[in-house]
Amino acid sequence: MNGIIVRFWLQLLFRREQAVTLLVSFSVVLLFNLIMNEGIAITYSVNLLFVAFFSLQIASIHNRNHTEPYIYISVFPNYRLIAYQLYVSLILSFPFLLMMVGLLWKSFADVSLWNLVIIVFFSSVFSSMLGLFLGQVVKHYGLAFTFLIAFYLPIGLVSWSFNEKLRYISPIVNIFNPYMVNWRNLFGLLGCSLLFYGLGTMLSSRRGGGKKSIIPWISTVLACSILMGVWGYERLFNENVQTSSFQKITVGQTQVEYKGISLYQARQFATLFETLYQVAKKNGTHPVRYTLEITRIHSMSSFEPKIIVQNYNKLQINIYSNKLLEFNFGMDWASKWIDYILPQSTHFSNEQVDAFRRVKSNVIVEVRRKNPGNVYTIQGE
């Protein structure tokens, strides 16, 4: 019977009018990936939008075609029906999954393929379940699709720091640093997917059995447990960091005080800063020496927290995102630090200001060419 249901949806989806819709949708996304020179965040979000769109199509197609009574779908419990719809959604979305893996692989060529597959899988399951959830609880198809657009387009357009605020439900957090998988985000997406499954079963506008079954309740309780567990882990981690003392490491004459990050990561920061200082000094400037004070926490209270705060002879660095630990595409720390170690005089003329900017630019280029401690795994042109 399971195979009959799956084949039924596939037959509906590949009818002439539905097949044209799917073909056009796939062509639009393919052209968007190949032709449009948009940022990776918005491109990835558009791909996920169409994954959710296909799920919404599946969840509502038998109602729109008035075919439910003919194959006795109504005898199926809702939780089983949604599971079948998820299977079909993943089958239809498979080309998009491959496209998203290829998109990330093209952008992050030296990242483990396993990392990319994990990121795409979790974000795609989340998108599929969101589309199925809306298809079950929202009777008006257009309203449900409007909600998907209102969710995915802003997610791709807003800054990475805003996505960190929505880290439990943002399916693009991990693409800001795929080198280091953010498992808290993935568990958050998993918890939300299970929550969509449970609530989609219990709140479904569709007639049929299974709404009082224990399975959707188990799914909902498990989802809440996962989300509370991730939140509790973050809170415990932050409390431990706040109460712990700083560890110290010295590279050359650069001292780094750190907590919440590993010794390897602290050494990366120290090596890069020391090289930046020495290169600036070699270029005939008079750089200012600072001690780095690095604190890694999992969430920040303010909406747009300050990453670098100057406190006398210290640069206090607040790490609240994996993006800030990635040197290739994450945070250009050399460009951030250069304004502190080479402060611009207020008495410079316009010609001196332009010359000073060129010196800063040359220092950054030379530092990147030196690649201290191999912090840059990808070298630019």
Side-chain angles (χ1 to χ4, degrees):
M1 191 64 176
N2 300 356
I4 295 176
I5 297 299
V6 172
R7 287 197 301 272
F8 163 72
W9 272 309
L10 290 176
Q11 287 172 355
L12 284 182
L13 287 165
F14 288 114
R15 290 173 60 185
R16 178 177 299 176
E17 63 273 17
Q18 300 295 340
V20 170
T21 300
L22 297 178
L23 182 60
V24 170
S25 300
F26 183 78
S27 301
V28 168
V29 179
L30 181 62
L31 291 174
F32 185 84
N33 280 266
L34 296 178
I35 298 177
M36 299 298 289
N37 190 24
E38 300 293 338
I40 186 173
I42 184 63
T43 304
Y44 193 77
S45 295
V46 169
N47 287 334
L48 291 176
L49 169 62
F50 276 89
V51 171
F53 167 69
F54 283 167
S55 298
L56 179 61
Q57 286 276 89
I58 294 165
S60 58
I61 195 171
H62 53 272
N63 292 327
R64 288 184 286 117
N65 285 270
H66 307 290
T67 54
E68 180 174 318
Y70 296 101
I71 61 166
Y72 307 102
I73 289 183
S74 59
V75 303
F76 278 83
N78 287 336
Y79 66 85
R80 189 180 299 175
L81 188 66
I82 295 176
Y84 293 157
Q85 290 172 341
L86 178 61
Y87 300 155
V88 178
S89 173
L90 293 177
I91 291 173
L92 287 180
S93 303
F94 187 71
F96 288 101
L97 271 61
L98 293 179
M99 190 181 301
M100 286 187 286
V101 171
L103 171 68
L104 295 182
W105 203 5
K106 178 183 177 181
S107 302
F108 308 100
D110 59 337
V111 175
S112 168
L113 183 59
W114 177 244
N115 283 14
L116 303 183
V117 170
I118 290 176
I119 292 170
V120 169
F121 176 77
F122 276 84
S123 60
S124 298
V125 169
F126 171 82
S127 297
S128 293
M129 288 308 305
L130 177 58
L132 295 177
F133 170 72
L134 293 176
Q136 292 292 335
V137 302
V138 180
K139 293 183 179 181
H140 196 281
Y141 176 81
L143 180 62
F145 185 56
T146 301
F147 180 86
L148 290 179
I149 295 177
F151 176 76
Y152 278 102
L153 291 189
I155 281 290
L157 292 173
V158 298
S159 65
W160 61 270
S161 57
F162 188 82
N163 276 279
E164 287 289 344
K165 293 296 179 182
L166 303 175
R167 58 194 175 281
Y168 298 156
I169 62 171
S170 173
I172 68 171
V173 164
N174 261 291
I175 70 174
F176 296 117
N177 184 1
Y179 298 86
M180 181 187 302
V181 176
N182 187 333
W183 291 101
R184 293 174 290 114
N185 170 255
L186 296 186
F187 276 110
L189 296 181
L190 175 62
C192 290
S193 299
L194 291 173
L195 187 63
F196 293 150
Y197 178 75
L199 294 180
T201 298
M202 293 184 287
L203 303 178
S204 176
S205 58
R206 169 191 171 271
R207 69 181 185 274
K211 293 188 177 182
K212 297 181 179 180
S213 171
I214 193 175
I215 291 181
W217 286 102
I218 292 176
S219 177
T220 302
V221 171
L222 181 59
C224 294
S225 299
I226 291 175
L227 294 174
M228 289 298 295
V230 175
W231 176 81
Y233 166 77
E234 287 189 346
R235 185 176 180 180
L236 181 62
F237 180 90
N238 290 347
E239 290 176 353
N240 289 339
V241 169
Q242 291 172 359
T243 57
S244 63
S245 58
F246 283 97
Q247 301 181 64
K248 297 182 179 180
I249 181 178
T250 301
V251 174
Q253 299 179 33
T254 298
Q255 184 176 20
V256 173
E257 301 174 0
Y258 67 97
K259 56 181 179 180
I261 63 174
S262 66
L263 173 62
Y264 172 75
Q265 292 166 337
R267 192 180 299 278
Q268 283 185 305
F269 281 99
T271 303
L272 179 60
F273 189 89
E274 177 66 17
T275 304
L276 181 67
Y277 181 90
Q278 296 299 336
V279 171
K281 189 175 181 180
K282 188 183 69 173
N283 277 264
T285 61
H286 301 282
V288 180
R289 172 73 67 178
Y290 287 97
T291 295
L292 301 182
E293 184 180 281
I294 305 175
T295 303
R296 164 65 155 145
I297 56 179
H298 283 330
S299 61
M300 297 288 281
S301 56
S302 60
F303 184 75
E304 193 71 29
K306 288 187 176 182
I307 300 172
I308 302 177
V309 178
Q310 181 181 351
N311 185 11
Y312 299 103
N313 65 335
K314 283 187 177 181
L315 293 181
Q316 297 173 336
I317 299 175
N318 300 308
I319 304 292
Y320 64 95
S321 167
N322 282 354
K323 175 183 173 67
L324 302 177
L325 295 170
E326 205 281 292
F327 293 87
N328 293 296
F329 308 101
M331 177 60 65
D332 188 356
W333 287 107
S335 296
K336 292 291 185 180
W337 289 334
I338 195 70
D339 291 328
Y340 290 93
I341 70 172
L342 292 179
Q344 182 175 300
S345 173
T346 57
H347 303 292
F348 279 174
S349 64
N350 291 336
E351 292 77 9
Q352 289 175 316
V353 169
D354 292 338
F356 197 59
R357 287 176 179 172
R358 286 193 294 271
V359 170
K360 288 183 177 181
S361 178
N362 292 336
V363 169
I364 294 172
V365 170
E366 185 173 350
V367 168
R368 192 168 186 94
R369 181 181 58 80
K370 285 180 175 292
N371 193 15
N374 294 319
V375 296
Y376 303 112
T377 56
I378 294 180
Q379 291 292 293
E381 294 295 335

